């Protein structure tokens, strides 16, 4: 098993099942002791803002705020720099613990030894 899991989620409310799957996998991996780095890109960028995860609904899925909290407690969440800029989201706007970083950091994390990268 990989020592680290890097997950990039590109979907938000526009593709709820794909979005929920990414957050679920990240939360389960973090709870299992895997080092998790979850990247919010595209429409999932909005979930870096306080209260936005609570607006997300998907029947028979774990509540997104709970999954987000689980990943934040045991892993790292990063908001894509360009995605944040396109949505006029700044570091002052995001949930405590969420960082903003760009493609160079994503590539560095994804290509590190012992890392498995997934994109949803």
């Amino acid at each position: 098993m990989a020592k680290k899991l890097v997950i990039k989620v590109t979907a938000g409310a526009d593709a709820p099942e794909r979005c929920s799957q990414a957050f679920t996998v990240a939360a389960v991996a973090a709870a299992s002791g895997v080092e998790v780095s979850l990247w919010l890109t595209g429409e999932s960028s909005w979930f870096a803002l306080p209260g936005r995860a609570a607006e997300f609904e998907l029947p028979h899925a774990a509540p997104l705020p709970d999954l987000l909290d689980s990943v934040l407690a045991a892993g790292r969440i990063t908001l894509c720099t360009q995605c944040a800029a396109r949505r006029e989201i700044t570091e002052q706007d995001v949930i405590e613990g969420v960082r903003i970083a760009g493609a160079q950091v994503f590539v560095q994390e994804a290509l590190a030894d012992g890392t498995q990268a997934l994109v949803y």
Side-chain angles (χ1 to χ4, degrees), residues 54-80:
E55 298 172 6
F56 181 88
E57 292 185 17
L58 182 62
H60 309 291
L64 201 62
D66 294 348
L67 298 173
L68 185 68
D69 289 345
S70 294
V71 176
L72 271 173
R76 170 180 281 162
I77 297 181
T78 305
L79 171 59
C80 162

Side-chain angles (χ1 to χ4, degrees), residues 23-77:
F23 277 88
T24 300
V25 168
V28 168
S32 299
V34 175
E35 184 181 346
V36 174
S37 178
L38 178 64
W39 283 72
L40 306 178
T41 67
E43 286 302 300
S44 72
S45 299
W46 296 114
F47 299 128
L49 297 174
R52 287 295 186 95
E55 298 172 6
F56 181 88
E57 292 185 17
L58 182 62
H60 309 291
L64 201 62
D66 294 348
L67 298 173
L68 185 68
D69 289 345
S70 294
V71 176
L72 271 173
R76 170 180 281 162
I77 297 181

Side-chain angles (χ1 to χ4, degrees), residues 1-2 7 13 19 25 46 48 52 57 67 73 79 91 94 105 107 110:
M1 181 179 349
I7 299 172
C19 176
V25 168
W46 296 114
R52 287 295 186 95
E57 292 185 17
L67 298 173
L79 171 59
E91 289 183 356
V94 299
V105 177
V107 170

